[in-house]
Amino acid sequence: MKGKYFSRPFLLKNNYNQDFFSLINKKSVKSDFFNLEFIDNNILKISYDEIVENKFVQKEIILKGKRKKKFFEVYFSKKQFFIPFLFGNFSIDRLRIGFDKSDKILIRNFSDGSGNILFIGGGFSGESKFLFESVEKSSTLIPFTKNGKWGFKKKNEIIIEPLYDFVRTFDENYTRVCIKNKWGLIDDKGNHLSEIIYDSIVPITSNNDDYLKYSFVYSNGKTGIINSKGKITVPQIYDVIKNNGEFLEIKIGDKIGLCNYEKVIIPSIYSRLSSYIYHQYNYAEAERNKIIYYVDKQGYEYQTNPNPYYSKIGFLENGQPKYIPNLASKRKIDVEEQLK
């Protein structure tokens, strides 16, 4: 098991592809590789280099577990309390680290957070598997350093000359590179996909077809989104971009809007913006200049009128929306409005 491995998993369909460090409860660690080495049969040392303020810092993690015939097993949580037929409470978080048939590191993560009182129970339980590829056996481009600069090799062949102060591993067909504390994107031939002008670039990971095709870019306290071809899809003018369920919430000052990875849907012009209302109208409620509007998923705004069928008694509502849209007032929201 001793060796160097990619920390990002070999992609598996229908599986949430967590990186290695999140599996060992170190979600804040951002490193492209990890090294495994047994100190003795039951102690596993994990070492890695992490970029901190554009400098490599060597760190390590020690896992104490049990080395068995086909895997190394470690428990992060193992709490079980059970009274037959009356009460049960389980909190289990277990990893088993071994190999698959192709010599990739195979990690099986079993979690159980469940309980019951008599016949009433709830919680979750399940096992997921993750594969991590050996650096030595990989056919992908691997970072290397020469005279203090970084480039990329495939096996022993130099593909991209060492020109950069720092580099990250490839995300599909592109990677992040750094010169003089500024970051940009290049492809697997060394062609520049973007200018090297950003304070940082952070790939967006998700459990769908958009996995690693988009990244957040940061400069001077502003955030935007760039795609894997180097095109800015959401302009870098926002103070905050964060997940809001179906869309991403974007903010300029105290004004709120919505976007997806490809474009701005609702510009940041509202003081309040709800999630989309899943009734027959399917609009989000928005407030601007103390006036209530509806906005749809295509970026149109509607004036609203009170719904005569809406009622509320205490905390209970009758299921009707509070407002109805004035369809004749439909207008496309201009993205430039958020810059005024």
Side-chain angles (χ1 to χ4, degrees):
M1 195 177 293
K2 181 178 179 179
K4 187 175 184 178
Y5 301 88
F6 291 99
S7 63
R8 185 168 294 129
F10 190 83
L11 296 183
L12 298 172
K13 292 184 178 180
N14 302 318
N15 194 37
Y16 185 73
N17 294 288
Q18 298 186 66
D19 71 12
F20 173 78
F21 293 100
S22 66
L23 289 172
I24 60 172
N25 297 330
K26 300 291 183 180
K27 294 183 179 180
S28 62
V29 172
K30 304 299 179 185
S31 182
D32 293 329
F33 306 100
F34 63 93
N35 295 277
L36 295 182
E37 181 183 359
F38 279 100
I39 297 176
D40 65 25
N41 279 345
N42 297 319
I43 299 178
L44 180 63
K45 182 173 79 172
I46 301 163
S47 56
Y48 60 95
D49 291 329
E50 188 171 19
I51 296 179
V52 179
E53 296 181 350
N54 288 339
K55 294 182 180 179
F56 280 115
V57 178
Q58 294 184 342
K59 297 185 178 182
E60 65 179 42
I61 298 167
I62 301 296
L63 292 183
K64 296 181 179 180
K66 289 186 178 181
R67 189 170 181 176
K68 301 189 177 182
K69 185 176 181 180
K70 293 186 177 180
F71 54 84
F72 176 73
E73 181 177 76
V74 58
Y75 282 88
F76 298 104
S77 174
K78 190 178 182 181
K79 298 178 182 178
Q80 303 177 77
F81 184 74
F82 182 63
I83 301 175
F85 309 112
L86 296 177
F87 178 81
N89 187 21
F90 304 93
S91 177
I92 299 174
D93 185 6
R94 182 194 71 200
L95 284 188
R96 286 179 174 174
I97 305 175
F99 289 101
D100 77 339
K101 294 179 180 180
S102 62
D103 286 335
K104 294 182 178 68
I105 285 288
L106 171 62
I107 295 182
R108 292 186 177 274
N109 177 212
F110 174 77
S111 297
D112 185 358
S114 60
N116 72 283
I117 298 176
L118 297 178
F119 301 105
I120 301 174
F124 62 90
S125 177
E127 184 176 80
S128 300
K129 66 179 182 179
F130 307 86
L131 293 176
F132 298 89
E133 191 174 26
S134 167
V135 171
E136 292 181 357
K137 297 179 180 180
S138 176
S139 60
T140 189
L141 296 178
I142 305 298
F144 79 99
T145 183
K146 182 179 180 181
N147 298 326
K149 297 292 182 179
W150 287 86
F152 290 88
K153 286 183 177 181
K154 181 178 287 187
K155 302 298 184 181
N156 292 320
E157 180 185 2
I158 295 176
I159 305 298
I160 299 173
E161 293 291 337
L163 304 171
Y164 305 101
D165 297 333
F166 294 98
V167 298
R168 305 301 300 266
T169 56
F170 271 83
D171 300 312
E172 295 189 338
N173 61 346
Y174 74 99
T175 190
R176 296 164 283 165
V177 296
C178 177
I179 295 178
K180 296 181 179 179
N181 294 324
K182 296 296 180 180
W183 292 83
L185 301 179
I186 64 171
D187 66 15
D188 54 7
K189 302 292 189 299
N191 301 313
H192 283 232
L193 298 171
S194 77
E195 295 182 83
I196 302 178
I197 58 174
Y198 302 105
D199 292 341
S200 64
I201 303 176
V202 180
I204 301 171
T205 57
S206 60
N207 191 29
N208 56 35
D209 292 339
D210 294 323
Y211 186 81
L212 295 179
K213 293 181 180 178
Y214 301 89
S215 300
F216 291 120
V217 289
Y218 302 91
S219 291
N220 302 318
K222 299 295 182 180
T223 308
I225 296 176
I226 193 171
N227 67 17
S228 60
K229 296 180 180 179
K231 177 186 175 183
I232 289 288
T233 58
V234 174
Q236 192 190 353
I237 60 174
Y238 299 101
D239 299 313
V240 175
I241 301 180
K242 66 179 182 179
N243 197 329
N244 191 29
E246 186 176 2
F247 292 98
L248 299 167
E249 182 179 294
I250 49 179
K251 295 187 73 174
I252 299 177
D254 59 355
K255 302 300 183 183
I256 307 171
L258 298 174
C259 74
N260 59 22
Y261 298 140
E262 273 294 334
K263 61 183 179 181
V264 174
I265 306 295
I266 306 297
S268 298
I269 62 173
Y270 298 101
S271 57
R272 182 174 62 82
L273 185 61
S274 74
S275 298
Y276 282 88
I277 304 167
Y278 292 101
H279 53 59
Q280 62 266 38
Y281 300 125
N282 201 18
Y283 300 120
E285 187 178 300
E287 183 174 341
R288 177 166 55 86
N289 298 328
K290 298 184 179 180
I291 300 174
I292 302 298
Y293 297 90
Y294 275 163
V295 292
D296 66 21
K297 297 180 182 180
Q298 288 70 48
Y300 289 93
E301 178 189 83
Y302 303 81
Q303 296 175 10
T304 60
N305 298 314
N307 184 356
Y309 299 104
Y310 169 81
S311 64
K312 181 177 180 181
I313 301 175
F315 294 103
L316 300 177
E317 301 182 27
N318 67 346
Q320 286 285 332
K322 192 172 182 179
Y323 304 94
I324 55 176
N326 178 352
L327 298 181
S329 68
K330 177 180 178 180
R331 78 174 187 95
K332 183 70 173 178
I333 310 167
D334 190 340
V335 174
E336 298 300 319
E337 293 180 43
Q338 63 190 351
L339 302 178
K340 295 179 181 179

